[in-house]
Each structure stands twice: as C-alpha cells, then as structure tokens.
Amino acid sequence: MRIHPIDLVIVVVYLLGITGLGMWFRRGSQDAREYFLGGRTAPWWALAFSIVATETSTLTIIGIPAIAYGGNLTFLQLVFGYLVGRVLIVLLLLPGYFRGEFFTAYALIENRFGVRARAVAATTFLVTRAVAEGVRVSAIALVISVVLGTSERLAVLVVIALTVLYTLEGGMKAVIWTDVAQLLLYLTGSAVTFGVLLHRIPGGWSEVTSVAAAAGHKLQVFDFSFHWATKYTVWSGVIGGAFLTMASHGTDQTIVQRLLAARDQRDGRRALLASGVIVLVQFTVFLLIGVLLYVFAQHSPLLAAGERSDRVLPLFLVREMPVGWAGLLLASIVAVAMSNASGSLNSLAASSILDFSRLRGQAGEPGDFLRRSRRMTLVWGLVLMAFGFVRWGPLLEAGLTVAALPLGSLLGLFLLGTLDRRANARGAMAGMLVGLVTILWVLRFTAVAFTWYVMIGSCVTLVVGALISRVVGEKQRAVSA
C-alpha cells in the first residue's frame, strides 16, 4: 500500500529538513563537553522533551496502540511505575551525578568501585543499548515498508544513514533540539489521529464504549490480581515499572546523558519529573488510539488474517488519513525514530570512548575524544544497521524484554554503590554476575513476566554483592591482622 505522492513528498522533505537541522549544530561542537553534553546550556523543558522522545521511539508509537488493539488499557499500570521510578531516581541516584564533572553515568561507578567496574558497567550498557536499539530500527523499517512498499532492509539503510549523518556532525545539541521538534510534531499528530479516528467511527464515543463492552474489558485499566506470569497488573506495573525506570533512566547512558547535560541538579530534577507527566499523557493517548482502531476495524477491517498487529496504525494512516495529514504523521513517526537512534548513537560513542580511555591508558584530551567519538558514531551506526536487519517478535515487548535482562544487574550495581558503604569491587562484580545469571535462569525456566526482570536482577545483585563484600572484607581484615 503506497501513499499518495503529496504525502510522499512531505515525508521526504521532512526527513531532509530534520537532517539539515541536526547538521546545523556542527558549528557548536568543538570539544567533548559540547559534543557529549551540549555545553550544558539546554533549558530543563527541552531536556524533558528530549527524555520523552528518547524513551518513546517508533517502537512505542506503533507498539502501544497494537497492545490496546489486541488487548486493553492495562499497560498503563506500567506507566504509573515509570512515575514512581523517576521520584526514586531523584532521591537516590541524581545527587551523585552532580558531585563531579561527569560525562557518562559509569564515571560514578569508577569513583566507587574502580576503573574495571566502570568498564563492566559500560559494557553492559553498550550491549543492551545496541540490541534494544536494533529492535527499534526494525520498527522504523516496518513503517517505511508499509508506507512505500519497499523492502525493510532498504528502509533501514536509508534511515540509519541520515541519522548517522546529523548525529556525527551535530552532537548532543543536535540530538536535543531535533528531539524537541519531533516530540511536538508527533504529539500533535497523535491528537489529530485520535480525532480523525473518532470522527470516522459511526456513532462516535458511544459506539466505542458499546463495542469495547461487548469485547469484554477493552477499557480496563487496573488489574489487582497477582500472578508472576501476568505482564500488566497493578503490582508488576507499579513495582516492576519503578525498577525498570530506575534502571533505564538512572543507569542507562542514553537517558543519564540528558540529565548530565542539565545546567545543574535542580534543572535535571525538573526535567526528569516533567518528562514523567508528559509520558503519562502520551501513553494514555496511544492506548486509546489502539482501542479506537479496534472499534474502527469492526466496521472497516484493517489487518488481513494472520497479519501482525504492529502494522495496524501505519495501515490506518496510509489508507484512511486525509492527503497531507498522512504524510505529516508518517514523517513524524519515522523522524522520532531517527531522533531516538541519534541519541543512542551519541551515547554509545560517548561510553565507548570515555569509559574505556583510562583502562587503555589513553590521555583524556577533549579534542582527541571528539575526533574519535565521531568515528565511533559511524561504527555504531553500522552495528545498529546490522541489528535492524534481524526479524524480532512483537516489537514493543521484544524491546522491553531485551532491555530488562541485563539492566537489573546494572541497577543493582548502582544501588549497591549508593546504599551500602561497606560494599567493595569484588562483591559488586560477583553480585552483578549472579544477578545476570539469575535473570537468564528466570527467562529460560520460568513463566515470570518480563516486567519483573529488573526488580529480580537488581535485588539479587544488591543482596549478593553486599554479602560477598562483607565476606571479602572480613578475610582481608583477618589477613592484615
């Protein structure tokens, strides 16, 4: 299903325009501080928008409506956990990031447990972010292949090439301000999509509630039952979502880099908390769009038998939206993905260069970091392109599962360093290893939902790390005596 030529022109012009905007910021990226942190000049509200754009992505825009289309609104319980997690980050982790001139989250780990612990934490981030971003790149390919009727591989090549171009040139300033532009556009586009859908459904909202009631619990938000295997309940949402957010927003360099780019701790706190409010609003809209798509499909089918539900929103935009609007909305979806990928590329480059520099015995000249980081951005672009060629399962949950596996042990490491003064490097590394092995065992041999993975991994890492630190500490004291 190809889009109207006018819509195609809008998509192409928008992609080229956003790429040009990103490249315009090259003139301000003259050293590592500018390239990685944007010179710490961005206002808190721009950082809040950038945080939301980073955690949203095309994966979320097409995946969240697909969840509601095939199920109900219980995913929103996870978003409530996102809000709790942000508050805990402000209380536990954020103060540590502003006690020095840090460029990455893992410099904090070096201060606490040494250079090798920093390298282990950074490696965990690099692997996790690269694979998770690969799932998101697949979502880009899915949208473009639906829109243009091209192969998914060609879509990956085009989008990643443009993203690498402006990220390599513009650095973090380009990432932040393109995020702002794209967030405003896709939020507007989401509101328009909601309005058009509601208008196109015969009977409007009364028909929505009627069909939803007949489908059974289609508008259900809360599930107070407790089952380890159920993905979305109040307990797995609030508790599991809080741990997931503490890990993704408190230890993942992609988000932490936005916090480090704030002018001070107060601005970082305001940006993080404000982003939670925006996320709650936008996820509510995305889920309701999924319900409306389900009701609309009862009158005018969208998916063929056996077709992936992830395709339902792109298909609606191509087939049903007025000419002009469809192109703008599709462009915003693809551009958000580009913005998201650009943030990941900048963070992957920063961590690759900075977190391993002392381990390799390299000098910390800012100009040298800048040159090498641009080359590293290109390398990671090729890596993401390769992961984008992989065929994943249901996109949103695949991305969340991939991220959840190692993030639990990473969060446990940060909590151990923050909460336990007696913890040492040996205990921390042992705790991380046991935490990761535990999660892999849970994934392989149990039916526990992915929403619990980060909590389980972080708690095991924290407890084992604390215990082994004390055992090692006692032995060292005994030898010294």
Side-chain angles (χ1 to χ4, degrees), residues 69 197 201 291-303 312:
Y69 177 87
L197 262 170
I201 294 173
V291 173
L292 294 183
L293 285 169
Y294 174 83
V295 176
F296 178 84
Q298 307 310 303
H299 300 277
S300 179
L302 291 168
L303 297 177
V312 66

Side-chain angles (χ1 to χ4, degrees), residues 21-45:
L21 173 63
M23 292 183 65
W24 184 77
F25 286 98
R26 175 183 173 87
R27 62 193 181 93
S29 299
Q30 300 301 320
D31 56 36
R33 194 172 188 269
E34 288 283 346
Y35 192 76
F36 294 131
L37 301 181
R40 287 184 164 167
T41 59
W44 67 267
W45 59 266

Side-chain angles (χ1 to χ4, degrees), residues 139-215:
I140 306 173
L142 178 64
V143 172
I144 293 183
S145 64
V146 169
V147 171
L148 304 181
T150 62
S151 70
E152 294 190 8
R153 291 198 170 194
L154 179 60
V156 170
L157 285 170
V158 172
V159 173
I160 292 300
L162 291 175
T163 305
V164 169
L165 181 61
Y166 81 72
T167 305
L168 185 147
E169 295 293 337
M172 181 52 72
K173 278 188 178 179
V175 172
I176 291 172
W177 289 107
T178 53
D179 281 350
V180 171
Q182 324 220 64
L183 178 70
L184 291 173
L185 180 61
Y186 84 70
L187 286 180
T188 302
S190 299
V192 171
T193 303
F194 182 91
V196 171
L197 262 170
L198 194 60
H199 177 72
R200 295 290 303 278
I201 294 173
W205 186 253
S206 61
E207 174 69 3
V208 172
T209 56
S210 176
V211 172

Side-chain angles (χ1 to χ4, degrees), residues 354-369:
L354 297 169
D355 286 322
F356 297 93
S357 59
R358 288 183 60 188
L359 194 63
R360 293 190 297 255
Q362 294 174 334
E365 280 296 323
D368 183 47
F369 280 151

Side-chain angles (χ1 to χ4, degrees), residues 6 85 91 119 142 198 217 224 249 254 267-268 296 323 331-332 401:
I6 293 177
L91 296 175
L142 178 64
L198 194 60
H217 307 294
F224 288 95
H249 289 55
T254 308
D267 270 10
F296 178 84
V323 173
S332 70
T401 301

